[in-house]
């Protein structure tokens, strides 16, 4: 649906569920149904609906809506209305796009985004305007580090979190010299940083760190360098459309058989249908695996498939938990956003029964969660074992005011 609407004007602000439609041309109002418990809570989705992360954005929104629907379409007794903006994963447009939601749309809460660079602009504005911000993906360390704030929560991960445990996994598999490869921006650099920390602590050596600009996908010259240097293994951070192409190119270059490929789990999450055989057997670390054996995960997956006709992935889990976290806050204050301190306190202390397993929040309001080693088996990210139980990001530089 977003795709069709975005076809009209992809930079437009979109409103789907009655109330207000905001387009590049201005704001139009429609009659609203009378709502017993006061005005609906205004939720602004700031996500990528176009570009290499487009599918990720839509999946997050889908699962957030699923969570709200499972609660009878109300949180803390209040209905919700949604506004969407496409951030295009373009950091240069981040401030303006976020400002549209905060100043013009006057949303109560922003849910977004995917790209770490765009996230930084959002975090800055959320701090200045004291807008409640729930981050459903982007892992940029500063959001729950030096730029942390009581009104900023993350239901996904820090970029360091999936990377760090993979260092030990790779060392334990017998690899001594590894080349890393990623897009050159916050997420890639921090993910590689996490891996490097874990791998070198265990005794390994990073032979080379290769980077290409985001969101380029001309991998060939880098694959040639890898083939020439013959490391014991390769660690990568790629996600979305870029991850699909990378995994296929790595296999097509004949490297998959000779040089084991590892990555943060985004490499194979939400991408497997398109990657096919090229992804089979790849091992990655992430805070989710498709077959986690808990009742919440089973029900979540079943309902997602029913609603959307597609298998959910880690991004769906993160969007779903963004809904769950907002529910904790609004339930605690019976939908009264003005009871802000009590709402934020309830969110900070939330213990979520997530499809990913148990999840709580660090002092910097980043998830404390298991990181799983997974392996692609028959088109699924299957659980191998817990790589690191209850891992908390160190939250360096966070001083809550
Ligand atoms: C990020 O930019 O922080 C990012 C993007 C996509 C992912 C993970 C992290 O899958």
């Amino acid at each position: 649906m977003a795709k069709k609407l975005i076809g009209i004007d992809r930079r437009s602000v979109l409103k789907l569920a009655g109330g207000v439609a905001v387009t590049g041309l201005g704001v139009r109002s429609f009659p609203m149904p009378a709502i017993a418990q006061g005005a609906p809570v205004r939720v602004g989705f700031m996500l990528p609906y176009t570009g290499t992360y487009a599918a990720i954005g839509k999946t997050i929104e889908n699962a957030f809506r699923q969570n709200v629907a499972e609660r009878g379409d109300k949180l803390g007794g209040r209905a919700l209305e949604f506004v969407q903006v496409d951030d295009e994963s373009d950091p240069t447009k981040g401030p303006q796009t976020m400002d549209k939601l905060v100043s013009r749309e006057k949303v109560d809460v922003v849910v977004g985004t995917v790209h770490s660079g765009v996230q930084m602009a959002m975090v800055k504005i959320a701090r200045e305007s004291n807008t409640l911000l729930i981050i459903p993906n982007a892992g940029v360390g500063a959001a729950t580090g030096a730029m942390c704030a009581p009104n900023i929560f993350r239901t996904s991960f820090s970029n360091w979190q999936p990377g760090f445990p993979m260092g030990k996994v790779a060392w334990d598999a017998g690899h001594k010299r590894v080349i890393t490869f990623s897009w050159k921006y916050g997420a890639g650099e921090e993910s590689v940083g996490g891996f490097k920390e874990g791998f070198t602590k265990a005794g390994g050596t990073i032979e080379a760190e290769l980077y290409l600009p985001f969101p380029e996908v001309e991998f060939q010259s880098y694959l040639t360098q890898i083939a020439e240097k013959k490391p014991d293994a390769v660690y990568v951070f790629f996600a979305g459309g870029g991850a699909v192409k990378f995994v296929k190119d790595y296999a097509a270059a004949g490297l998959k058989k000779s040089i084991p490929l590892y990555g943060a789990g985004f490499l194979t999450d939400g991408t497997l249908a398109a990657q096919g055989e090229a992804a089979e057997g790849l091992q990655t670390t992430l805070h989710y695996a498709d077959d986690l054996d808990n009742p919440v995960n089973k029900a979540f997956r079943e309902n997602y498939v029913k609603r959307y006709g597609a298998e959910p992935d880690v991004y769906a889990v993160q969007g779903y938990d963004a809904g769950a976290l907002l529910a904790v806050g609004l339930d605690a204050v019976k939908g009264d956003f003005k009871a802000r301190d009590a709402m934020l306190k309830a969110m900070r202390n939330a213990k979520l029964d997530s499809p990913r397993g148990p999840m709580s929040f660090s002092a910097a309001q980043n998830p404390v969660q298991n990181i799983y080693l997974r392996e692609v088996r028959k088109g699924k990210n299957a659980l191998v074992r817990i790589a690191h139980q209850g891992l908390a990001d160190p939250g360096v530089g966070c001083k809550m005011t």
Side-chain angles (χ1 to χ4, degrees):
M1 177 143 56
K3 208 168 161 207
K4 195 169 122 222
L5 286 163
I6 283 154
I8 299 165
D9 173 2
R10 68 191 186 135
R11 277 181 298 276
S12 293
V13 184
L14 304 167
K15 169 69 181 69
L16 296 180
V20 186
V22 185
T23 70
L25 302 172
V27 181
R28 282 179 292 151
S29 289
F30 299 115
M32 291 286 297
I35 287 154
Q37 285 98 339
V41 173
R42 285 175 68 70
V43 178
F45 288 120
M46 179 162 161
L47 293 164
Y49 294 104
T50 52
T52 201
Y53 290 159
I56 298 177
K58 190 63 196 155
T59 299
I60 288 169
E61 182 191 325
N62 282 349
F64 186 98
R65 287 177 181 266
Q66 176 184 337
N67 194 306
V68 174
E70 286 173 6
R71 293 169 199 274
D73 287 317
K74 283 191 177 171
L75 304 185
R78 286 178 68 186
L80 273 68
E81 62 181 17
F82 299 104
V83 183
Q84 299 169 304
V85 287
D86 179 10
D87 67 39
E88 304 171 52
S89 294
D90 183 347
T92 65
K93 295 180 183 152
Q96 192 193 347
T97 315
M98 176 74 169
D99 194 52
K100 259 187 217 166
L101 284 181
V102 172
S103 303
R104 206 161 91 187
E105 281 296 302
K106 301 203 182 339
V107 298
D108 297 300
V109 50
V110 174
V111 176
T113 190
V114 171
H115 184 286
S116 275
V118 180
Q119 195 70 59
M120 285 307 287
M122 298 174 70
V123 162
K124 193 164 172 285
I125 292 175
R127 283 168 63 98
E128 287 162 7
S129 61
N130 201 20
T131 305
L132 178 59
L133 172 63
I134 303 179
I135 304 170
N137 185 71
V140 60
T144 55
M147 299 281 280
C148 75
N151 56 312
I152 299 175
F153 292 85
R154 179 150 53 197
T155 58
S156 50
F157 56 91
S158 72
N159 290 319
W160 175 89
Q161 267 180 317
F164 176 70
M166 184 46 101
K168 178 135 186 355
V169 168
W171 175 261
D172 288 348
H175 307 307
K176 306 240 165 353
R177 293 163 44 243
V178 167
I179 288 182
T180 65
F181 183 30
S182 181
W183 280 312
K184 181 126 190 99
Y185 83 102
E189 289 167 324
E190 291 177 356
S191 176
V192 165
F195 173 79
K196 194 171 161 180
E197 186 183 329
F199 189 57
T200 54
K201 248 187 200 162
T205 306
I206 302 294
E207 172 123 353
E209 280 182 43
L210 307 181
Y211 288 104
L212 84 166
F214 176 86
E216 283 181 19
V217 289
E218 291 310 320
F219 300 122
Q220 210 47 53
S221 64
Y222 302 90
L223 294 178
T224 305
Q225 288 183 55
I226 290 168
E228 280 167 8
K229 289 201 162 89
K230 294 192 178 51
D232 295 342
V234 170
Y235 173 86
V236 300
F237 167 89
F238 290 108
V244 171
K245 180 157 190 298
F246 179 77
V247 164
K248 285 182 154 178
D249 285 5
Y250 197 84
L255 290 174
K256 192 178 164 201
K257 283 188 214 91
S258 51
I259 307 177
L261 174 63
Y262 298 95
F266 313 109
L267 187 66
T268 59
D269 230 276
T271 54
L272 288 177
Q275 287 164 334
E277 194 52 36
E280 281 295 308
L282 292 184
Q283 290 199 340
T284 60
T285 38
L286 203 63
H287 45 289
Y288 185 60
D290 294 334
D291 57 351
L292 287 182
D293 189 11
N294 70 66
V296 178
N297 190 37
K298 292 218 168 87
F300 159 74
R301 294 192 71 91
E302 243 177 65
N303 287 345
Y304 190 94
V305 171
K306 255 189 231 151
R307 283 176 69 91
Y308 301 112
E311 291 290 331
D313 54 30
V314 71
Y315 306 107
V317 173
Q318 296 166 178
Y320 188 77
D321 289 339
L325 181 62
L326 184 60
V328 167
L330 284 175
D331 285 349
V333 296
K334 300 200 169 42
D336 180 8
F337 254 95
K338 288 195 291 304
R340 195 171 179 87
D341 289 351
M343 180 180 74
L344 297 182
K345 185 170 174 213
M347 291 171 75
R348 198 157 49 242
N349 293 330
K351 304 238 177 305
L352 299 184
D353 247 340
S354 166
R356 75 187 84 180
M359 167 179 168
S360 58
F361 291 87
S362 66
Q365 302 184 168
N366 187 68
V368 178
Q369 57 193 342
N370 295 337
I371 303 294
Y372 303 100
L373 175 63
R374 314 102 50 82
E375 183 176 301
V376 179
R377 293 180 194 145
K378 297 201 176 98
K380 295 254 183 225
N381 283 296
L383 175 68
V384 176
R385 61 182 161 82
I386 294 178
H388 198 128
Q389 186 139 22
L391 183 61
D393 180 274
V396 176
C398 170
K399 284 191 200 78
M400 283 289 176
T401 46

